[in-house]
Amino acid sequence: MPLNILIVGAGVCGPALATLLQHADPRHTITVVERASSLRTAGQQLDVKAQGLPILEKMGLRGTIRPLLVAETGMQFVDAKGKSLAEFGVTGGGKRNYSLSTDREIMRSDLVNMLYEASLKRREEIDNLARPEEKGGSLKYEFGKSIIELSQDDDGVDVKLSSGETGRYDLVVAADGQGSRTRRLAWGVEASAAAFHSLGIHTAYFSIPRAEGERGHGEVYLFARNNAELFRQAYKEPLAKQKDAFRKAYSGAGWEVDRFLGAMDDCDDFYAHEAGQIKIDPLYKSRVVLVGDAGYCPAPFTGMGTTLSLIGSYVLAGELAKHKNDIGPALKAYSEVVRSPVDEYQRLPPATINAMFPSSRFGVWLLQNAAWALAGLKVDQLVHRFLPAENVNGRWPIPEYAELNLPVP
Ligand SMILES: Cc1cc2nc3c(=O)[nH]c(=O)nc-3n(C[C@H](O)[C@H](O)[C@H](O)COP(=O)(O)OP(=O)(O)OC[C@H]3O[C@@H](n4cnc5c(N)ncnc54)[C@H](O)[C@@H]3O)c2cc1C
């Protein structure tokens, strides 16, 4: 039996899952509610690593995504006066050979738009080509609405939206990110809060105009470890307050920081949050299931959030199809199958955070000198030369789901 499905959140997972579900069963009735008034296309470069790209290729998006991948230019450490201390991933001629960063990166706006368009295109194909037995399904996006109430019984989930509308669904998918309200409604405030493991870092991303001679995108990432309460309060307020909090943390930092802070006021893609990991098991409660950051955000520094979102969307749609839309066994299987990549990509080597984000002058000095030594030893080149081939597409083998009827099996 096809399902009546509510997906909460039109970020990366929402549209990806909507596309996959329609491939599996064109007769599903799918509603995606998004709190923002349109697609939220803020955000900077996202890594599409390991299994991420092969999954997009299975969805038939190879030709669409390849031209959107961003040419990474590597990483440079500078001191407060702008003097270069260490450089990774760029050769003397300015041509990139090896890099600690990846060449599988995409602007968040491009990825979100691509997946949204793919979901609509699939609907159009179904509507145009469907055989009579495939008729009956639908896909609709509802912007400017969020979920405010949720209750479930053995046969369905009752939901109330901020618009006052109510609905009953067979399945509700929480694809509403790290701070998922759906998770809070289904698991309860305490269990949901306990799932969030703060890494004690506050992060802002935005783009700025490039100065003359600068390469690549003009992107700024700010990380702060102090004033936790100031930041937490600011996240509940308008963006101007959040910008003030970062300005306070960074004023007087030297180098080009004043230019970045000036441009921050005018940027229209500012996004800030408290970096942390979501850990919860199993990933479902009866007919409500968590996907992507809502269920297993690995933290931005791992670079694996988008890949895990794509893995999660693929496995969830795959298990539903494999179990012929029988929700109980499908959600159990989904939760078990994604556990291995989730655990692998959430693993942070001990002391990584303290080493990467020092909070004392001595820590900064240590980081700069370690970077200088590693760059001198050309560690990035060695890593690439000896990296096992399987690490390019990830160790965890992507399960095959013939039932998904994907364009590329
Ligand atoms: C605006 C934005 C910018 C980002 N920028 C970066 C970045 O630069 N670098 C990086 O590494 N990661 C960034 N991220 C996080 C990154 O997108 C995710 O880590 C990853 O791609 C997982 O995607 P997701 O679909 O699970 O969650 P997300 O991409 O976070 O999407 C969740 C969606 O749910 C919506 N939503 C939230 N609450 C509700 C609700 N109650 N009702 C309805 N809808 C709701 C949100 O508006 C959002 O569109 C950003 C996320 C957002 C939302």
Side-chain angles (χ1 to χ4, degrees), residues 7-15 33-36 38-47 108 111-112 145-148 174-182 205-206 219 221 269-273 291-295 297-301 303 305-307 309:
I7 301 176
V8 186
V12 173
C13 281
V33 288
E34 165 57 50
R35 187 174 53 182
S38 58
L39 276 191
R40 286 181 78 188
T41 51
Q44 304 302 317
Q45 278 170 230
L46 299 178
D47 291 307
R108 187 175 181 279
L111 182 64
V112 171
K145 296 176 185 174
S146 66
I147 185 168
I148 56 168
D176 46 353
Q178 177 184 300
S180 172
R181 189 169 191 177
T182 315
Y205 321 81
F206 54 96
E219 291 171 50
Y221 297 72
D269 60 354
F270 180 89
Y271 174 70
H273 70 149
V291 69
D293 276 6
C297 175
F301 330 117
T306 303
T307 297
S309 298

Side-chain angles (χ1 to χ4, degrees), residues 340-401:
S340 158
V342 165
D343 286 349
E344 180 184 349
Y345 296 146
Q346 283 196 328
R347 208 170 297 132
L348 289 172
T352 313
I353 298 297
N354 284 338
M356 277 171 67
F357 303 101
S359 53
S360 65
R361 280 188 189 281
F362 177 65
V364 173
W365 179 86
L366 260 186
L367 176 65
Q368 288 175 335
N369 281 282
W372 174 81
L374 291 174
L377 291 169
K378 303 208 181 311
V379 164
D380 52 341
Q381 298 189 17
L382 293 175
V383 165
H384 272 253
R385 198 156 298 160
F386 297 112
L387 199 66
E390 76 234 26
N391 278 25
V392 176
N393 285 336
R395 274 195 298 267
W396 178 76
I398 302 172
E400 294 301 333
Y401 296 110

Side-chain angles (χ1 to χ4, degrees), residues 239-256:
L239 287 186
K241 286 276 181 208
Q242 301 178 25
K243 292 180 181 180
D244 281 349
F246 279 93
R247 188 174 297 104
K248 192 164 169 218
Y250 268 82
S251 65
W255 187 44
E256 303 234 12

Side-chain angles (χ1 to χ4, degrees), residues 185-373:
L185 291 170
W187 269 256
V189 176
E190 264 181 41
S192 179
F196 178 67
H197 298 259
S198 175
L199 294 172
I201 315 273
H202 297 270
T203 311
Y205 321 81
F206 54 96
S207 36
I208 60 168
R210 258 180 299 181
E212 221 178 289
E214 271 180 355
R215 296 167 291 167
H217 290 269
E219 291 171 50
V220 177
Y221 297 72
L222 300 178
F223 302 99
R225 290 192 73 169
N226 48 7
N227 292 328
E229 280 321 309
L230 177 76
F231 283 108
R232 283 183 192 144
Q233 184 53 38
Y235 297 136
K236 297 179 193 150
E237 303 196 38
L239 287 186
K241 286 276 181 208
Q242 301 178 25
K243 292 180 181 180
D244 281 349
F246 279 93
R247 188 174 297 104
K248 192 164 169 218
Y250 268 82
S251 65
W255 187 44
E256 303 234 12
V257 171
D258 284 348
R259 172 164 78 95
F260 302 156
L261 295 180
M264 179 172 74
D265 285 329
D266 301 326
C267 76
D268 55 8
D269 60 354
F270 180 89
Y271 174 70
H273 70 149
E274 179 169 359
Q277 299 191 315
I278 298 294
K279 296 188 175 183
I280 198 163
D281 192 27
L283 294 164
Y284 61 99
K285 202 149 215 162
S286 279
R287 291 169 174 267
V288 181
V289 62
L290 306 170
V291 69
D293 276 6
Y296 31 81
C297 175
F301 330 117
T302 63
M304 298 313 289
T306 303
T307 297
L308 274 181
S309 298
L310 294 169
I311 289 176
S313 305
Y314 172 83
V315 174
L316 178 55
E319 292 297 338
L320 279 165
K322 189 170 158 183
H323 289 87
K324 303 194 167 29
N325 301 329
D326 189 352
I327 292 173
L331 298 192
K332 184 169 186 293
Y334 155 72
S335 186
E336 288 168 3
V337 172
V338 296
R339 186 47 52 197
S340 158
V342 165
D343 286 349
E344 180 184 349
Y345 296 146
Q346 283 196 328
R347 208 170 297 132
L348 289 172
T352 313
I353 298 297
N354 284 338
M356 277 171 67
F357 303 101
S359 53
S360 65
R361 280 188 189 281
F362 177 65
V364 173
W365 179 86
L366 260 186
L367 176 65
Q368 288 175 335
N369 281 282
W372 174 81

